[in-house]
Amino acid sequence: MPFNLPILLTWLRVALIPVFVGLYYLPADMPPILIKNLIGTVIFAVAALTDWFDGYLARKWNQVSSFGAFLDPVADKLMVAAALILLVEIDRAPAWLAVIIIGREITISALREWMAQLGKIKSVAVATIGKFKTAAQMVAILFLLWDEPLIPGLSTRLIGTIALYVAGVLTIVSMFYYLRVAAQQFREN
């Protein structure tokens, strides 16, 4: 297993998950919810930034490894799943939508694993629709975690909820896109 700064950043993302979740399980007034929301939002934002930064550094420094390529999406999916489950728990996101998003992540991860075994991993590489889904998901989670108005009259919960529904639609569309691409590969064989 290689060890370098990009992989360290990925492990940092994994290590932040229990800190992030544990924050919301502290007693109700320790710290007050506003502080929990602030810290939770910052932790998730740092995790999202390290996701971009570790890949950038790995490519720039030529430290791309198969272990890093495996660990990075696992860390991302764990962080997003933890955030969605937490948002359901604190009543800021509907459970059915979280199940759809998490279910898609598991399905596509399994599909990519299967395609890798067939030597066809490039056929299910991340597509533009998947990037839009991820962006909508990150915006939604950040706004739902913050849950405080940015300016008077501008509800971050409403913005986050709309973004989460957009992410949900893109989740379904992107899942069918990847399944269609995989089906074409199977027909060609």
Side-chain angles (χ1 to χ4, degrees):
M1 173 180 70
F3 191 77
N4 53 40
L5 184 58
I7 287 177
L8 179 65
L9 290 172
T10 304
W11 278 118
L12 173 65
R13 248 188 349 272
V14 173
L16 285 174
I17 295 169
V19 174
F20 169 72
V21 173
L23 171 69
Y24 285 90
Y25 283 92
L26 292 172
D29 58 344
M30 258 182 63
I33 192 65
L34 178 63
I35 302 301
K36 285 180 184 176
N37 288 344
L38 174 62
I39 295 169
T41 303
V42 168
I43 290 172
F44 191 84
V46 165
L49 288 173
T50 64
D51 178 28
W52 173 82
F53 200 55
D54 65 8
Y56 170 77
L57 289 178
R59 287 184 298 277
K60 181 175 175 144
W61 294 345
N62 197 27
Q63 294 180 340
V64 175
S65 68
S66 56
F67 181 73
F70 158 77
L71 185 61
D72 184 66
V74 170
D76 300 343
K77 286 164 184 37
L78 287 172
M79 188 63 160
V80 167
L84 289 170
I85 292 167
L86 178 69
L87 288 168
V88 168
E89 176 74 16
I90 60 177
D91 203 29
R92 296 185 194 171
W96 65 269
L97 192 48
V99 167
I100 287 172
I101 293 170
I102 294 168
R104 179 264 189 207
E105 296 302 333
I106 293 168
T107 301
I108 299 307
S109 292
L111 178 66
R112 285 189 174 127
E113 178 65 28
W114 189 19
M115 296 302 282
Q117 290 177 3
L118 297 175
K120 303 279 187 179
I121 190 64
K122 292 199 186 298
S123 65
V124 286
V126 176
T128 303
I129 185 109
K131 292 179 182 183
F132 284 132
K133 183 267 313 171
T134 300
Q137 207 170 256
M138 296 302 171
V139 167
I141 292 169
L142 286 168
F143 276 98
L144 290 169
L145 285 170
W146 177 239
D147 200 38
E148 297 292 330
L150 295 175
I151 57 174
L154 184 59
S155 168
T156 56
R157 188 173 297 197
L158 177 61
I159 295 168
T161 300
I162 291 168
L164 192 61
Y165 278 92
V166 168
V169 169
L170 292 174
T171 291
I172 293 167
V173 171
S174 68
M175 182 175 73
F176 283 114
Y177 168 80
Y178 289 120
L179 291 173
R180 191 183 82 234
V181 168
Q184 288 172 347
Q185 290 297 316
F186 291 123
R187 272 184 249 138
E188 289 173 10
N189 290 331

Coordinates of all heavy atoms in Angstrom, one line a residue, residues 89-175:
E89 N -31.8 11.6 10.1 CA -31.9 11.5 11.5 C -32.3 12.8 12.2 O -33.1 12.8 13.1 CB -30.6 11.0 12.1 CG -30.5 10.9 13.6 CD -31.3 9.8 14.2 OE1 -31.6 8.8 13.5 OE2 -31.6 9.8 15.4
I90 N -31.8 13.9 11.7 CA -32.1 15.2 12.3 C -33.2 15.9 11.5 O -33.4 17.1 11.7 CB -30.8 16.1 12.4 CG1 -30.2 16.5 11.1 CG2 -29.8 15.5 13.4 CD1 -29.0 17.4 11.1
D91 N -33.9 15.2 10.7 CA -35.2 15.6 10.1 C -35.0 16.8 9.1 O -35.8 17.7 9.0 CB -36.2 15.9 11.1 CG -37.6 15.9 10.5 OD1 -37.8 15.1 9.6 OD2 -38.5 16.6 11.0
R92 N -33.9 16.7 8.3 CA -33.6 17.7 7.3 C -33.7 17.1 5.9 O -33.5 17.9 4.9 CB -32.3 18.4 7.5 CG -32.3 19.2 8.8 CD -31.0 19.9 9.0 NE -30.8 20.4 10.4 CZ -29.7 20.9 10.9 NH1 -28.7 21.1 10.1 NH2 -29.7 21.3 12.1
A93 N -33.8 15.8 5.8 CA -33.9 15.2 4.4 C -34.8 14.0 4.5 O -34.9 13.3 5.6 CB -32.5 14.7 4.0
P94 N -35.6 13.7 3.4 CA -36.5 12.6 3.4 C -35.7 11.3 3.3 O -34.8 11.2 2.5 CB -37.4 12.8 2.2 CG -36.6 13.8 1.3 CD -35.7 14.5 2.2
A95 N -36.1 10.3 4.1 CA -35.4 9.0 4.1 C -35.4 8.3 2.7 O -34.4 7.8 2.3 CB -36.0 8.1 5.1
W96 N -36.6 8.4 2.0 CA -36.7 7.7 0.7 C -35.7 8.3 -0.3 O -35.2 7.5 -1.1 CB -38.1 7.8 0.2 CG -38.6 9.2 -0.1 CD1 -39.3 10.0 0.7 CD2 -38.4 9.9 -1.4 NE1 -39.5 11.2 0.0 CE2 -39.0 11.1 -1.2 CE3 -37.9 9.5 -2.6 CZ2 -39.1 12.1 -2.3 CZ3 -37.9 10.5 -3.6 CH2 -38.5 11.7 -3.5
L97 N -35.4 9.6 -0.2 CA -34.5 10.2 -1.2 C -33.1 9.8 -0.8 O -32.2 9.5 -1.7 CB -34.7 11.7 -1.2 CG -34.0 12.5 -2.2 CD1 -34.2 11.9 -3.6 CD2 -34.4 13.9 -2.2
A98 N -32.8 9.7 0.5 CA -31.4 9.3 0.9 C -31.2 7.8 0.5 O -30.1 7.5 0.0 CB -31.3 9.4 2.4
V99 N -32.2 7.0 0.6 CA -32.1 5.6 0.2 C -31.8 5.5 -1.3 O -31.0 4.7 -1.8 CB -33.4 4.8 0.5 CG1 -33.4 3.4 -0.1 CG2 -33.5 4.6 2.0
I100 N -32.5 6.3 -2.1 CA -32.3 6.3 -3.6 C -30.8 6.7 -3.9 O -30.2 6.0 -4.7 CB -33.3 7.2 -4.3 CG1 -34.7 6.6 -4.3 CG2 -32.8 7.5 -5.7 CD1 -35.8 7.5 -4.8
I101 N -30.4 7.7 -3.3 CA -29.0 8.2 -3.5 C -28.0 7.2 -3.1 O -27.0 6.8 -3.8 CB -28.8 9.6 -2.9 CG1 -29.6 10.6 -3.6 CG2 -27.3 10.0 -3.0 CD1 -29.7 12.0 -2.9
I102 N -28.1 6.7 -1.9 CA -27.2 5.7 -1.3 C -27.2 4.4 -2.1 O -26.2 3.8 -2.5 CB -27.4 5.5 0.2 CG1 -27.1 6.8 0.9 CG2 -26.5 4.3 0.7 CD1 -27.5 6.7 2.4
G103 N -28.5 4.0 -2.5 CA -28.6 2.8 -3.3 C -28.0 2.9 -4.6 O -27.3 1.9 -5.1
R104 N -28.1 4.0 -5.3 CA -27.4 4.2 -6.6 C -25.9 4.1 -6.4 O -25.2 3.5 -7.2 CB -27.8 5.6 -7.1 CG -27.2 5.9 -8.5 CD -26.0 6.8 -8.3 NE -25.4 7.3 -9.5 CZ -24.2 7.6 -9.7 NH1 -23.3 7.4 -8.8 NH2 -23.8 8.1 -10.9
E105 N -25.4 4.7 -5.3 CA -23.9 4.7 -5.1 C -23.4 3.2 -5.0 O -22.4 2.9 -5.6 CB -23.5 5.5 -3.9 CG -23.8 7.0 -4.0 CD -23.2 7.7 -5.2 OE1 -22.1 7.2 -5.7 OE2 -23.7 8.7 -5.7
I106 N -24.2 2.4 -4.3 CA -23.8 1.0 -4.1 C -23.9 0.3 -5.4 O -23.0 -0.5 -5.8 CB -24.7 0.4 -3.0 CG1 -24.3 1.0 -1.6 CG2 -24.5 -1.1 -3.0 CD1 -25.3 0.6 -0.5
T107 N -25.0 0.5 -6.1 CA -25.2 -0.1 -7.4 C -24.1 0.2 -8.4 O -23.6 -0.7 -9.0 CB -26.6 0.3 -8.0 OG1 -27.6 -0.1 -7.1 CG2 -26.8 -0.4 -9.3
I108 N -23.8 1.5 -8.5 CA -22.8 1.8 -9.5 C -21.4 1.4 -9.1 O -20.6 1.0 -9.9 CB -22.8 3.4 -9.8 CG1 -24.2 3.8 -10.4 CG2 -21.7 3.8 -10.7 CD1 -24.6 3.0 -11.6
S109 N -21.1 1.4 -7.8 CA -19.8 0.9 -7.3 C -19.7 -0.6 -7.7 O -18.6 -1.1 -8.1 CB -19.7 1.1 -5.8 OG -19.6 2.4 -5.5
A110 N -20.8 -1.4 -7.4 CA -20.8 -2.8 -7.8 C -20.6 -3.0 -9.3 O -19.8 -3.9 -9.7 CB -22.0 -3.5 -7.3
L111 N -21.3 -2.2 -10.1 CA -21.2 -2.3 -11.5 C -19.8 -2.0 -12.0 O -19.2 -2.7 -12.8 CB -22.1 -1.3 -12.2 CG -22.1 -1.2 -13.7 CD1 -22.6 -2.5 -14.3 CD2 -22.9 0.0 -14.2
R112 N -19.1 -1.0 -11.4 CA -17.7 -0.6 -11.8 C -16.8 -1.8 -11.4 O -15.9 -2.1 -12.1 CB -17.3 0.7 -11.1 CG -17.9 1.9 -11.8 CD -17.3 3.2 -11.3 NE -17.9 4.2 -12.1 CZ -18.5 5.3 -11.6 NH1 -18.6 5.5 -10.3 NH2 -18.9 6.3 -12.4
E113 N -17.0 -2.4 -10.2 CA -16.2 -3.5 -9.8 C -16.4 -4.7 -10.8 O -15.4 -5.3 -11.2 CB -16.6 -4.0 -8.4 CG -15.9 -5.2 -7.9 CD -14.4 -4.9 -7.7 OE1 -14.0 -3.8 -7.4 OE2 -13.6 -5.9 -7.8
W114 N -17.6 -5.0 -11.2 CA -17.8 -6.0 -12.1 C -17.2 -5.7 -13.5 O -16.5 -6.6 -14.1 CB -19.3 -6.2 -12.3 CG -19.8 -7.4 -13.1 CD1 -19.0 -8.5 -13.4 CD2 -21.0 -7.6 -13.7 NE1 -19.8 -9.4 -14.1 CE2 -21.0 -8.9 -14.3 CE3 -22.2 -6.9 -13.7 CZ2 -22.1 -9.4 -15.0 CZ3 -23.3 -7.4 -14.4 CH2 -23.3 -8.6 -15.0
M115 N -17.3 -4.5 -14.0 CA -16.8 -4.1 -15.2 C -15.2 -4.2 -15.2 O -14.6 -4.5 -16.1 CB -17.2 -2.7 -15.7 CG -18.7 -2.6 -15.9 SD -19.3 -3.8 -17.2 CE -18.8 -2.9 -18.6
A116 N -14.7 -3.8 -14.0 CA -13.2 -3.9 -13.8 C -12.7 -5.4 -14.0 O -11.7 -5.6 -14.6 CB -12.8 -3.3 -12.5
Q117 N -13.5 -6.3 -13.4 CA -13.2 -7.7 -13.5 C -13.2 -8.2 -15.0 O -12.5 -9.1 -15.4 CB -14.1 -8.6 -12.7 CG -13.9 -8.4 -11.2 CD -14.8 -9.2 -10.4 OE1 -15.7 -9.9 -10.9 NE2 -14.8 -9.0 -9.0
L118 N -14.1 -7.5 -15.8 CA -14.2 -7.9 -17.2 C -13.2 -7.1 -18.1 O -13.1 -7.3 -19.3 CB -15.6 -7.6 -17.7 CG -16.7 -8.4 -17.0 CD1 -18.1 -7.9 -17.6 CD2 -16.5 -9.9 -17.3
G119 N -12.4 -6.2 -17.4 CA -11.4 -5.4 -18.2 C -12.1 -4.3 -18.9 O -11.5 -3.7 -19.9
K120 N -13.3 -3.9 -18.5 CA -14.0 -2.8 -19.2 C -14.3 -1.6 -18.3 O -15.3 -0.9 -18.5 CB -15.4 -3.4 -19.7 CG -15.3 -4.6 -20.5 CD -15.0 -4.2 -21.9 CE -15.1 -5.4 -22.9 NZ -14.8 -5.0 -24.2
I121 N -13.5 -1.3 -17.3 CA -13.7 -0.3 -16.3 C -13.8 1.1 -17.0 O -14.6 1.9 -16.6 CB -12.6 -0.3 -15.2 CG1 -13.1 0.7 -14.1 CG2 -11.3 0.1 -15.8 CD1 -14.3 0.3 -13.4
K122 N -13.1 1.3 -18.1 CA -13.1 2.6 -18.7 C -14.5 2.9 -19.3 O -14.9 4.1 -19.5 CB -12.1 2.7 -19.8 CG -10.7 2.7 -19.2 CD -9.6 3.3 -20.1 CE -8.2 3.2 -19.6 NZ -7.9 3.9 -18.5
S123 N -15.3 1.9 -19.6 CA -16.6 2.1 -20.2 C -17.6 2.7 -19.2 O -18.6 3.3 -19.6 CB -17.1 0.8 -20.8 OG -17.4 -0.1 -19.7
V124 N -17.3 2.5 -17.9 CA -18.2 3.1 -16.9 C -17.4 4.2 -16.1 O -17.7 4.4 -14.9 CB -18.9 2.1 -16.0 CG1 -19.9 1.3 -16.7 CG2 -17.8 1.1 -15.4
A125 N -16.5 4.9 -16.8 CA -15.8 6.0 -16.1 C -16.8 7.1 -15.8 O -17.9 7.2 -16.4 CB -14.7 6.5 -17.0
V126 N -16.4 8.0 -14.9 CA -17.3 9.1 -14.4 C -17.7 9.9 -15.7 O -16.8 10.4 -16.4 CB -16.6 9.9 -13.4 CG1 -17.5 11.1 -13.0 CG2 -16.3 9.1 -12.1
A127 N -19.0 10.1 -15.8 CA -19.5 10.9 -17.0 C -19.9 12.3 -16.4 O -20.0 12.5 -15.2 CB -20.7 10.2 -17.6
T128 N -20.2 13.2 -17.4 CA -20.6 14.5 -17.0 C -21.8 14.5 -16.1 O -21.9 15.3 -15.1 CB -20.8 15.4 -18.3 OG1 -19.6 15.3 -19.0 CG2 -21.2 16.8 -17.9
I129 N -22.8 13.7 -16.4 CA -24.0 13.6 -15.6 C -23.7 13.2 -14.2 O -24.3 13.7 -13.2 CB -25.1 12.7 -16.2 CG1 -26.4 12.8 -15.4 CG2 -24.6 11.3 -16.3 CD1 -27.5 13.4 -16.1
G130 N -22.7 12.4 -14.0 CA -22.3 12.0 -12.6 C -21.7 13.1 -11.9 O -21.8 13.3 -10.7
K131 N -20.9 14.0 -12.6 CA -20.3 15.1 -12.0 C -21.4 16.1 -11.6 O -21.3 16.7 -10.5 CB -19.3 15.8 -13.0 CG -18.1 14.9 -13.2 CD -17.1 15.5 -14.1 CE -15.9 14.5 -14.3 NZ -14.9 15.0 -15.2
F132 N -22.4 16.3 -12.4 CA -23.5 17.2 -12.1 C -24.2 16.7 -10.8 O -24.6 17.5 -9.9 CB -24.5 17.4 -13.2 CG -24.0 18.3 -14.3 CD1 -24.0 18.0 -15.6 CD2 -23.4 19.6 -14.0 CE1 -23.6 18.8 -16.6 CE2 -22.9 20.4 -15.0 CZ -23.0 20.0 -16.3
K133 N -24.5 15.4 -10.8 CA -25.1 14.8 -9.7 C -24.3 15.0 -8.4 O -24.9 15.4 -7.4 CB -25.3 13.2 -9.9 CG -26.0 12.5 -8.9 CD -25.2 11.8 -7.8 CE -24.0 11.1 -8.3 NZ -23.1 10.6 -7.2
T134 N -23.0 14.8 -8.5 CA -22.2 15.0 -7.3 C -22.2 16.5 -6.9 O -22.3 16.8 -5.7 CB -20.7 14.6 -7.6 OG1 -20.7 13.2 -7.9 CG2 -19.8 14.8 -6.4
A135 N -22.1 17.4 -7.8 CA -22.2 18.8 -7.4 C -23.5 19.2 -6.8 O -23.5 19.9 -5.7 CB -22.0 19.7 -8.7
A136 N -24.6 18.7 -7.3 CA -25.9 19.0 -6.7 C -26.0 18.4 -5.3 O -26.5 19.0 -4.3 CB -27.1 18.5 -7.6
Q137 N -25.5 17.2 -5.2 CA -25.5 16.5 -3.9 C -24.7 17.3 -2.8 O -25.1 17.4 -1.7 CB -24.8 15.1 -4.1 CG -25.1 14.0 -3.2 CD -24.6 12.8 -3.8 OE1 -25.3 12.0 -4.4 NE2 -23.3 12.5 -3.7
M138 N -23.5 17.7 -3.2 CA -22.6 18.5 -2.3 C -23.3 19.8 -1.9 O -23.3 20.1 -0.7 CB -21.2 18.7 -2.9 CG -20.4 17.5 -3.2 SD -20.2 16.5 -1.7 CE -19.5 15.1 -2.4
V139 N -23.8 20.5 -2.8 CA -24.5 21.8 -2.5 C -25.7 21.5 -1.6 O -25.8 22.2 -0.5 CB -25.0 22.5 -3.8 CG1 -26.0 23.6 -3.5 CG2 -23.8 23.0 -4.6
A140 N -26.5 20.5 -1.9 CA -27.6 20.1 -1.0 C -27.2 19.8 0.4 O -27.7 20.4 1.4 CB -28.3 18.9 -1.6
I141 N -26.2 19.0 0.5 CA -25.7 18.6 1.9 C -25.2 19.8 2.7 O -25.5 20.0 3.8 CB -24.7 17.4 1.8 CG1 -25.4 16.2 1.3 CG2 -24.0 17.2 3.1 CD1 -24.5 15.0 0.9
L142 N -24.4 20.6 2.0 CA -23.8 21.8 2.7 C -24.9 22.7 3.2 O -24.9 23.2 4.3 CB -22.9 22.5 1.8 CG -21.5 21.8 1.6 CD1 -20.7 22.5 0.5 CD2 -20.7 21.9 2.9
F143 N -25.9 23.0 2.3 CA -27.0 23.9 2.7 C -27.9 23.3 3.8 O -28.3 24.0 4.7 CB -27.9 24.3 1.5 CG -27.3 25.5 0.7 CD1 -26.6 25.3 -0.4 CD2 -27.5 26.8 1.2 CE1 -26.0 26.3 -1.1 CE2 -27.0 27.8 0.4 CZ -26.3 27.6 -0.7
L144 N -28.1 22.0 3.7 CA -29.0 21.3 4.7 C -28.2 21.2 6.1 O -28.9 21.3 7.1 CB -29.4 19.9 4.2 CG -30.5 20.0 3.1 CD1 -30.6 18.6 2.5 CD2 -31.8 20.6 3.6
L145 N -26.9 21.1 6.0 CA -26.2 21.0 7.3 C -26.2 22.4 7.9 O -26.3 22.5 9.1 CB -24.7 20.6 7.0 CG -24.5 19.1 6.8 CD1 -23.1 18.8 6.3 CD2 -24.8 18.3 8.0
W146 N -25.9 23.4 7.1 CA -25.9 24.8 7.7 C -27.2 25.2 8.3 O -27.3 25.7 9.4 CB -25.4 25.8 6.6 CG -25.4 27.2 7.1 CD1 -26.1 28.2 6.6 CD2 -24.7 27.7 8.3 NE1 -25.9 29.4 7.4 CE2 -25.0 29.1 8.4 CE3 -23.8 27.1 9.2 CZ2 -24.5 29.9 9.4 CZ3 -23.3 28.0 10.2 CH2 -23.6 29.3 10.3
D147 N -28.3 25.0 7.5 CA -29.7 25.2 8.0 C -29.9 26.6 8.7 O -30.7 26.7 9.6 CB -30.0 24.1 9.0 CG -31.6 23.9 9.1 OD1 -32.3 24.1 8.1 OD2 -32.0 23.6 10.2
E148 N -29.2 27.6 8.4 CA -29.4 28.9 8.9 C -29.5 29.9 7.7 O -28.8 29.7 6.7 CB -28.2 29.4 9.8 CG -28.0 28.5 11.0 CD -29.1 28.7 12.0 OE1 -29.7 29.8 12.1 OE2 -29.4 27.7 12.8
P149 N -30.3 30.9 7.8 CA -30.4 31.8 6.6 C -29.1 32.5 6.3 O -28.4 32.9 7.2 CB -31.4 32.9 7.1 CG -32.0 32.4 8.3 CD -31.2 31.3 8.9
L150 N -28.8 32.6 5.0 CA -27.6 33.3 4.6 C -27.8 34.8 4.7 O -27.0 35.6 5.1 CB -27.1 32.9 3.2 CG -26.7 31.4 3.0 CD1 -26.4 31.1 1.6 CD2 -25.5 31.2 3.9
I151 N -29.0 35.2 4.2 CA -29.5 36.5 4.4 C -30.9 36.4 4.8 O -31.6 35.4 4.5 CB -29.3 37.4 3.1 CG1 -30.1 36.7 1.9 CG2 -27.9 37.6 2.7 CD1 -30.1 37.5 0.6
P152 N -31.5 37.4 5.5 CA -32.9 37.3 5.9 C -33.8 37.0 4.7 O -33.7 37.6 3.6 CB -33.2 38.7 6.4 CG -31.8 39.3 6.9 CD -30.9 38.7 5.9
G153 N -34.6 36.0 5.0 CA -35.6 35.6 4.0 C -35.1 34.5 3.0 O -35.9 34.0 2.2
L154 N -33.8 34.2 3.0 CA -33.3 33.2 2.1 C -33.0 31.9 2.9 O -32.0 31.8 3.6 CB -32.0 33.7 1.5 CG -31.3 32.8 0.4 CD1 -32.3 32.5 -0.7 CD2 -30.1 33.4 -0.1
S155 N -33.9 30.9 2.8 CA -33.9 29.7 3.6 C -32.9 28.7 3.0 O -33.0 28.2 1.8 CB -35.2 29.0 3.6 OG -35.2 27.7 4.1
T156 N -31.8 28.4 3.7 CA -30.9 27.4 3.2 C -31.5 26.0 3.2 O -31.1 25.2 2.4 CB -29.6 27.4 4.1 OG1 -29.9 27.2 5.4 CG2 -28.8 28.7 3.9
R157 N -32.4 25.8 4.1 CA -33.1 24.5 4.1 C -33.9 24.3 2.8 O -33.9 23.2 2.2 CB -34.0 24.3 5.3 CG -34.5 22.8 5.3 CD -35.3 22.4 6.5 NE -34.5 22.5 7.7 CZ -34.9 21.9 8.8 NH1 -36.0 21.2 8.9 NH2 -34.2 22.0 9.9
L158 N -34.6 25.3 2.3 CA -35.3 25.3 1.0 C -34.3 25.1 -0.1 O -34.5 24.2 -1.0 CB -36.1 26.5 0.8 CG -36.9 26.6 -0.5 CD1 -37.9 25.4 -0.6 CD2 -37.6 27.9 -0.7
I159 N -33.2 25.8 -0.2 CA -32.2 25.7 -1.2 C -31.6 24.3 -1.2 O -31.5 23.6 -2.2 CB -31.1 26.7 -1.1 CG1 -31.7 28.1 -1.3 CG2 -30.0 26.5 -2.1 CD1 -30.8 29.3 -0.9
G160 N -31.3 23.8 0.0 CA -30.7 22.5 0.1 C -31.7 21.4 -0.3 O -31.3 20.4 -0.9
T161 N -33.0 21.6 0.1 CA -34.0 20.6 -0.3 C -34.2 20.5 -1.8 O -34.2 19.4 -2.4 CB -35.3 20.9 0.4 OG1 -35.1 20.8 1.9 CG2 -36.4 19.9 0.1
I162 N -34.2 21.7 -2.4 CA -34.4 21.7 -3.9 C -33.1 21.1 -4.5 O -33.3 20.2 -5.4 CB -34.5 23.2 -4.4 CG1 -35.9 23.7 -4.0 CG2 -34.4 23.2 -5.9 CD1 -36.1 25.2 -4.1
A163 N -32.0 21.4 -4.1 CA -30.7 20.8 -4.6 C -30.7 19.3 -4.4 O -30.2 18.5 -5.2 CB -29.5 21.5 -4.0
L164 N -31.2 18.8 -3.2 CA -31.3 17.4 -3.0 C -32.2 16.7 -3.9 O -31.9 15.6 -4.4 CB -31.7 17.1 -1.5 CG -31.5 15.7 -1.0 CD1 -30.0 15.3 -1.1 CD2 -31.9 15.5 0.4
Y165 N -33.4 17.3 -4.2 CA -34.3 16.7 -5.2 C -33.7 16.7 -6.6 O -33.8 15.7 -7.4 CB -35.6 17.4 -5.2 CG -36.5 17.0 -4.1 CD1 -36.6 17.6 -2.9 CD2 -37.4 15.9 -4.3 CE1 -37.4 17.1 -1.9 CE2 -38.2 15.4 -3.3 CZ -38.2 16.1 -2.1 OH -39.0 15.6 -1.1
V166 N -32.9 17.8 -7.0 CA -32.2 17.8 -8.2 C -31.2 16.7 -8.3 O -31.1 15.9 -9.2 CB -31.5 19.2 -8.5 CG1 -30.6 19.1 -9.6 CG2 -32.6 20.2 -8.7
A167 N -30.5 16.5 -7.1 CA -29.5 15.4 -7.0 C -30.2 14.1 -7.2 O -29.6 13.1 -7.8 CB -28.7 15.5 -5.7
G168 N -31.4 13.9 -6.6 CA -32.1 12.7 -6.7 C -32.5 12.3 -8.1 O -32.3 11.2 -8.6
V169 N -33.0 13.4 -8.9 CA -33.3 13.1 -10.3 C -32.0 12.8 -11.1 O -32.0 11.8 -11.8 CB -34.0 14.4 -10.9 CG1 -34.1 14.3 -12.4 CG2 -35.4 14.6 -10.2
L170 N -31.0 13.5 -10.8 CA -29.7 13.2 -11.5 C -29.2 11.9 -11.1 O -28.5 11.2 -11.9 CB -28.7 14.3 -11.3 CG -29.0 15.7 -11.9 CD1 -28.0 16.7 -11.5 CD2 -29.1 15.6 -13.4
T171 N -29.4 11.5 -9.9 CA -29.0 10.1 -9.4 C -29.6 9.0 -10.3 O -29.0 8.1 -10.7 CB -29.4 10.0 -7.9 OG1 -28.6 10.9 -7.2 CG2 -29.2 8.6 -7.4
I172 N -30.9 9.2 -10.5 CA -31.7 8.1 -11.2 C -31.2 8.2 -12.7 O -31.0 7.1 -13.3 CB -33.2 8.4 -11.1 CG1 -33.6 8.1 -9.6 CG2 -34.0 7.5 -12.0 CD1 -35.0 8.5 -9.3
V173 N -31.2 9.4 -13.3 CA -30.8 9.5 -14.7 C -29.4 8.9 -14.9 O -29.1 8.2 -15.8 CB -30.9 11.0 -15.1 CG1 -30.3 11.2 -16.5 CG2 -32.3 11.4 -15.1
S174 N -28.4 9.3 -14.0 CA -27.1 8.8 -14.2 C -27.0 7.3 -14.0 O -26.2 6.7 -14.6 CB -26.1 9.6 -13.2 OG -26.3 9.3 -11.9
M175 N -27.8 6.8 -13.0 CA -27.7 5.3 -12.8 C -28.2 4.6 -14.1 O -27.5 3.6 -14.6 CB -28.6 4.9 -11.7 CG -28.5 3.4 -11.4 SD -29.5 2.9 -10.0 CE -31.1 3.0 -10.5

